[in-house]
Structure formats: C-alpha cells, structure tokens
Amino acid sequence: MAVAHVDGAAPAVLALLHHQSPCPLCPVEVFPMTAEHSLRPLPEGTDTEIAVVGGGLSGTLAATLLGRSGYRVTLIDRHPVFPREFRVEKIAGDQIDKLRRIGLLDSLSTAAAAFDEIVNVRKGRVLDRTRARHYGIFYDNLVAAMRAELPKTVRFVAGRVSAVEAGPERQRVSIIGQPDVTARLLVLATGMGDILRRDVGIERRFVHQRQSLTFGFNVRQAGASAFKHPALTYYGERVSDGIDYLNFFPAGGVTRANLFVFREHTDPWVKALRDRPRETLIETLPGLLKTFGDFEVIDRVSSWLTDITVAENCKRDGVVLIGDAYQTSCPAAGTGVSRLLTDVERLCMVHVPEWMASPGMAAAKIAAFYDDPMKQAMDERGLELANFRRSLTIDTDLRWRARRQVHFSRRRILHEIDKFSPSFAARLRGLKRPQVEAVT
C-alpha cells in the first residue's frame, strides 16, 4: 500500500491506533448468541431491540454484528437492492484486518478482485512498489456482499424513513406507507444526509467545505498492448494542477480509475476532465502513458465533492450516529472505511452489550461511545490526514515545498536501497518517528 504520513501525532493517539489484538478492548471474535439472550422478551412498547436506519456499508455491518450477537435488529433502507453509487471502491491495510476480526473478510474476498502489488509513480519515474493485499470492488457490490451476511435475527425493511423520535426509553422510526418501528436503541447510519439527524436535535459543523473532488471511471487498454501494471498510483506532477494522485486497479471485471483532486468544482479543468477525460489526464500528467500504457475511458466520469463535517450535540437519549453520519472523511486520505469499521466494531462489540444490560437508553450511556478513546483516535486521524493530503498537494509556502520534496525523495531513495538490501531498507524505515499512515 502506498502511504502518506502525518508528523507529530500525539503519542497516546498512536498507541491506541497501533494497539493490536488480543486485548479486552479489541475483540477478536463476534459475541456469540446465547439462549438466554435469544429468549429475552422485548421491553413493553417496542417491537425490536435495535433499529438501524441506513442500509449502506456502515448500517449493514452494524446490523450484521448486532444480529450475530443475538439482538433483534431491524435494518431500514429505501433500497431493497443497493444501487450503483460512487463511494468506496478499494479496501486495504487495516481495513482488511478489521474485516477479518469481525468475521466478514471471506465475504469481501469472494466478491472482490484481489491484487498484491501497486506501482507508485511520480513524474514518469517509479517511486516505490507497494506489496500488500488489496481488494477492488464497486460500492453496490460491497454492500450486497455484506447484506448477504445478515443473520436471521435481522429484519430488513425497504422503505423511506420520514421521521425519527428518540428518548430515554423508546425510539420511533416512521416509514412512509408502513407501520412505525419502535426500538430500545436507534442507530443512524444515514451518511451525509441531515434531515433525520435534525429530527433529534443533532447538527453538523463544517470543518472544511469543498475539501476535495474525487472522480471515478472505467478504462481499457488502447490497441493490442496490455497495461504495463495491473495496479498503479500516479501522483500529481505540479502543485498548480491540484492533483493528489490517480489510482488504476482491477474491480468488477474492469480496470477502474479513481482520481483525487484539490480544486474547486467550478474550475474549467473539472469540466474538461468530464468532457475529455483521457486527453485532459494526458495533458496534465505527461508521464502517465509511458508508465501505464495508453487507455480509453469507456463510460461516463462520476464525481464526488466532499465536505469535511462533524456532528454536534450528538450525545442524545436513545440515538447514536456511526460512519459518515457522525464525521465525514477526505477520500484522498483513505481513512473513511477505517473510521467506519472502528465505529461499528466499538459500538457493536463494546458499548451496545453494556447499554443493553440495564434499563433505559439515556444520553449518559450514549456518551460512552463518542468518548471512546479508540474512536476518538481514529476520528482525529481522519481529520489530520485530510489536512495533510491537501497541504502536501497544493500548499506553496516554504515549509510545505520542503516537506513535499523530502516526502517523495525519501520514498524513491528507500526504494533504490530496497533493490540491493531489503533488510537495510526495512531498518531505515523503522528509524522514522511514529507516524499515522493512510492507504492510498
């Protein structure tokens, strides 16, 4: 995996992020369903123990883990089959470890395209090579693979939620044209939508509006020659271009491209990329064809404008937010799925069992999730890396010009050393001070 680094992260944060299982705070298996739990009656006035609103990746994973632990869960989403959306398309690094730990890696590996090397290039020259397992998969296929793992203790309801109510004892979800769902606990996994959060008094704070633009499209080789590398990361050549990097990788039977850019969405270059993607990329990244091969773009270019936001006033009776519903991530930083999986794992395997063991669902209980040090460390990591990727790509002051030069030169030098003495290169890499890494 190609990595980016943030210097000066707090030691306590790094210790939490690098902490390895086995550990009481890092479960290595899903809580088993017990006969006592499966027979426990529902509290008066509720028809499910936990209602999860939002059946994308975070909501589906939460419902799966909770259902496997024996809780009666109702998962609600407007889409009975999740549609094609431009979201997560590559899984790697700690995300694989987390999926393995919660017992869902096999489902991913069956549905995704696996690859084990990425060639990392800048200005037409190889920086280094990433040798580690990665998976390429379209987001709708990823959600479908995870939904296939929903246990029988999870009831799926396809419908549009019109309103939610939360309180210390009972939560209510109103669904257009269907009976309300009442529960002890309400989990909102509704992504960046605001309406349902506002129903329970939760607002969002903008950390950085229009943080980045991400583009996705499929390509195929032009002519008879195959691509030179199955997976490649090509970094921007000039600061003025605002390009962090371009990924090519296998997914869904095609070669997929993800491009991460720090530009305004009104920039004429953005329109040119949508209208003439191949020509615009070749003009902007002159060394691309030499290192990857010629290509054709075979479908429309999808795009995603990211705002970095954090939920506020979220310590409320009866309701908890996970994933993007709580905090969004910069796609270029590669931390979105890591944050999502941390939220799901900590909520479902640590906090929910504690909450459900006693009556009520007051805000004091819910606060424990948001105050969880491992969750906070991962959220902080996401914000740090969002700032780092943007500054490394486009900042022009002397400090960042120097850091950019050191960052890429160091990678190239270590790669050259690695050719002759992998063990010495590994020791040199180990000399760097503790840093937070992000998959790119």
Side-chain angles (χ1 to χ4, degrees), residues 383-395:
L383 295 177
E384 286 179 342
L385 277 168
N387 291 332
F388 177 79
R389 293 308 314 179
R390 185 177 176 89
S391 293
L392 185 70
T393 303
I394 64 173
D395 277 9

Side-chain angles (χ1 to χ4, degrees), residues 4 28 41-42 66 70 180 225 227 257 269 293-294 296 327 349 361 367:
V28 295
L42 290 169
L66 292 168
D180 290 356
S225 298
F227 291 134
W269 184 91
D294 200 0
E296 299 174 357
Q327 178 178 307
M349 303 177 74
M361 204 60 64

Side-chain angles (χ1 to χ4, degrees), residues 319-359:
V319 59
V320 63
L321 276 58
I322 60 173
D324 285 343
Y326 176 74
Q327 178 178 307
T328 58
S329 301
C330 175
T335 57
V337 175
S338 299
R339 283 193 50 260
L340 177 159
L341 288 167
T342 297
D343 277 4
V344 168
E345 190 175 20
R346 301 302 292 169
L347 176 70
C348 299
M349 303 177 74
V350 176
H351 297 290
V352 167
E354 294 177 356
W355 298 346
M356 302 297 278
S358 60

Side-chain angles (χ1 to χ4, degrees), residues 84 89 113 115 136-138 141 217-221 227 230 248-257 292 296 298-299:
R84 178 61 52 94
E89 296 185 341
F115 54 102
I137 185 170
F138 290 106
N141 294 332
F217 47 93
N218 298 330
V219 302
R220 65 186 172 204
Q221 62 266 30
F227 291 134
F248 292 105
F249 57 94
V254 299
T255 296
R256 185 65 172 167
F292 185 62
E296 299 174 357
I298 58 176
D299 61 356

